[in-house]
Amino acid sequence: MKQIALYGKGGIGKSTTSANLSAALSEKSLDILQIGCDPKHDSTRMLMHGQWIPTVLDLVREKGEGNITTEDVVFSGYNNIRCVEAGGPEPGVGCAGRGIIATFQLLEKLDALYGDVIVYDVLGDVVCGGFAMPMREGYAREVYLVTSGDFMALYAANNICKAIARLSKRSKPCCTLGGVICNSQNIEGELGLVSEFAEKINSELTGFIPRSQIVRVSEVNKKTVLEYAPESEQADVYRKLAEKIMNTNPDPDKKPTPLSMDELETLAQKYIKA
Amino acid sequence: MHKNISRHDGCTVTGALTVTTFLRDSATIVHGPKGCCHQAVSVLHSSMLYNECFDIPDIFSSAMDEKNIIFGGEDSLNDAIKEALDEDFRCIFIIGTCISDTIGDDIESVCAGFNEKDSVPVIPINASGFLGGSFEDGFISALKGASEIIGENCNFSDKYSDECQIKPLVNIIGEKNLEYEVDANFSEIKRLLNLLGADVNLRFIRNITFDDIQNFNCASLNIIREDTTGDIKRHFEKLTNIPCISSYPYGISNTLEFLKEAGEYLNINPDLAIKHEINYQKEMFESFSDLRGEKISFDSFGFQKADSNLFTEIARHTGIVLDSDGVTIPIPFFTPVGTGGVFHMLSQWRRFING
């Protein structure tokens, strides 16, 4: 079983990338489970044809943990991809990070964490212990940083990189950096910038997803690109990404090297010109 | 060493509980996990039992669990307050813990919701467990929180009761309720005040009722047990306009100065009281005449900050010689209060010297 997590800045396109990646993986007749770990709970919406599925934490709040079944929280989406949304508390209340931990523990108790590939879609603006949980407890074995050439997106990616570097110091590290995925924002010099960023953090560019109108059109039609426009070039981009990830076996001894703020700024200045 | 397990360590929760639980007709809710409440209450209760205080305080826990930590614990606190309000308490205190503070529960607004509709005040104490600081921080916060009961429009000159007009009254603030000598120290302060012709109005807070606090403004002087930060004095002066003495008197000369200072605040000529006390102190030292010429040295165990001037003064008055080869005398954890405290300490010195 391959367990991958996509981390990145809010709004960078993690959910779109995750859903299309899951869809592409499912074409290989693989059993896929996608878990959205964002209180926004929109990770699996395209796989569910626009349906907002109930979140694990909403159900825990309403029914209590003891009364929840697998059928309550795991929903079958496009190509039988199993979809779960962790959810979260109301804004400004409680601890969403702890909620992520509780969700995983409940799914484990329900024997729902199985399949050929589990895709964790995790928000990366906040990397408290709770949100780093998928890495720390071995749920996510390979982390992919989703970024663009936008400075703040790189900043968030670098922060996740710090979390992985920190976890790699443990006596039994179980999480490695799989690579960097560039979800393009059509920024000049973006490919060069993100490629060099990947290299500098001792990783590699796993995939470059060009900005395409077809992604927006598919979303409006409540489908992934793989489902809405399977013959499109963009669909092939996701297929190639899926292929690359399936063939990636990150070396556990290869530790990420996050950049200092100065290094990150210097790198950005090199590519982003007025 | 005297038997004393008074607690000066621990988190704000225990410190705050040592204040709130001594308002007899109130209840305290610890807003946190059950275990957190249990730990703090165990320390409090065992210390109270050791100091021969057998009352079981009314303490509730909001019993936060994982669900509360994820979704917020304000609903649980709400339920706990409702449960406490079902009983016949005159006032409810809420003490937050590390857990409720970490996840950002808004205790003040939960309390405000009750205070809008209920006649029983629900008072938040700024605590936050270890996050909020030490035992002493919790203790000070609880004194400040409880002072809300006194009310905002405090002006002692307008509110003198009949009793106030007969003799001036004094509030005692912030007694250390887990201190073994708490009542002995109180008696000593009362004795000194009586020498001046004044008396105690209110012990804020030690075994008093909610209604007792309504008489707070009958006093024309506040005496604080100890105020290392100056925070308690500033708070009560601002709140009540009543002048404050910020410490119990320690030792010999400081006790005489205390009489003078209190006399000034109470508009009483202290000369007679001071003369009486000087004679009393002479008699007291005379009763330890057998110790004259004995040699002692002080041991602070390396962790207590001893006011050596105070102990040196007591030794000199008794006729005891300080000598590094003399009998080792442990510095007491609490500095002796008033002349009475010196008497008890000298009795201990005698035990060491004759032992």
Side-chain angles (χ1 to χ4, degrees), chain B residues 201-221:
Chain B
N201 175 55
L202 181 68
R203 299 173 77 176
F204 188 87
I205 292 177
R206 183 169 174 81
N207 297 333
I208 56 167
T209 64
F210 183 81
D211 286 338
D212 290 336
I213 296 180
Q214 309 306 316
N215 298 322
F216 193 97
N217 300 296
C218 291
S220 40
L221 175 64

Side-chain angles (χ1 to χ4, degrees), chain A residues 57 60-61 65 88-89 93-95 98-99 102 105, chain B residues 66-74 102-105:
Chain A
L57 290 178
V60 168
R61 182 160 35 202
E65 194 184 314
V93 177
C95 175
R98 182 65 208 165
Q105 287 171 343
Chain B
E66 184 175 68
K67 200 172 167 185
N68 293 143
I69 288 161
I70 296 167
F71 299 115
E74 291 174 18
T102 300
I103 65 164
D105 276 354

Side-chain angles (χ1 to χ4, degrees), chain B residues 166-300:
Chain B
I166 299 166
K167 56 180 165 184
L169 297 176
V170 174
N171 292 324
I172 307 293
I173 296 176
E175 284 180 87
K176 297 177 179 183
N177 288 317
L178 300 188
E179 190 175 57
Y180 187 68
E181 303 89 343
V182 62
D183 283 323
N185 289 341
F186 170 74
S187 299
E188 179 66 2
I189 300 300
K190 189 174 163 69
R191 181 183 71 79
L192 293 169
L193 290 171
N194 288 164
L195 280 183
L196 288 166
D199 211 342
V200 172
N201 175 55
L202 181 68
R203 299 173 77 176
F204 188 87
I205 292 177
R206 183 169 174 81
N207 297 333
I208 56 167
T209 64
F210 183 81
D211 286 338
D212 290 336
I213 296 180
Q214 309 306 316
N215 298 322
F216 193 97
N217 300 296
C218 291
S220 40
L221 175 64
N222 290 331
I223 295 172
I224 304 168
R225 167 67 183 91
E226 187 179 69
D227 188 21
T228 48
T229 61
D231 211 7
I232 305 173
K233 184 174 192 279
R234 278 191 295 275
H235 176 79
F236 280 91
E237 277 183 346
K238 194 176 170 193
L239 182 71
T240 66
N241 288 327
I242 301 173
C244 265
I245 292 180
S246 54
S247 170
Y248 276 11
Y250 296 119
I252 300 305
S253 50
N254 187 240
T255 299
L256 302 177
E257 282 164 24
F258 172 83
L259 284 170
K260 191 178 168 197
E261 191 181 6
E264 279 171 12
Y265 281 126
L266 296 168
N267 286 325
I268 295 169
N269 184 338
D271 291 350
L272 206 62
I274 290 172
K275 196 175 166 188
H276 180 279
E277 191 62 12
I278 289 170
N279 286 333
Y280 180 67
Q281 289 178 346
K282 274 183 188 162
E283 283 172 28
M284 191 254 317
F285 284 119
E286 198 54 43
S287 69
F288 289 97
S289 57
D290 55 305
L291 301 182
R292 276 179 205 149
E294 295 284 354
K295 292 176 182 173
I296 65 166
S297 61
F298 298 121
D299 182 3
S300 63

Side-chain angles (χ1 to χ4, degrees), chain A residues 127-130 132-133 135-137 143 157-177 201 252 254-259:
Chain A
V127 196
C128 72
M133 176 72 174
M135 312 180 204
R136 202 175 62 220
E137 295 298 308
V143 170
N158 193 51
N159 272 353
I160 308 293
C161 187
K162 283 182 189 170
I164 303 166
R166 182 182 168 82
L167 292 171
S168 69
K169 288 177 189 158
R170 288 159 53 128
S171 56
K172 288 181 184 170
C174 54
C175 168
T176 54
L177 177 56
I201 61 168
K254 193 178 177 187
K255 311 291 185 200
T257 53
L259 304 181

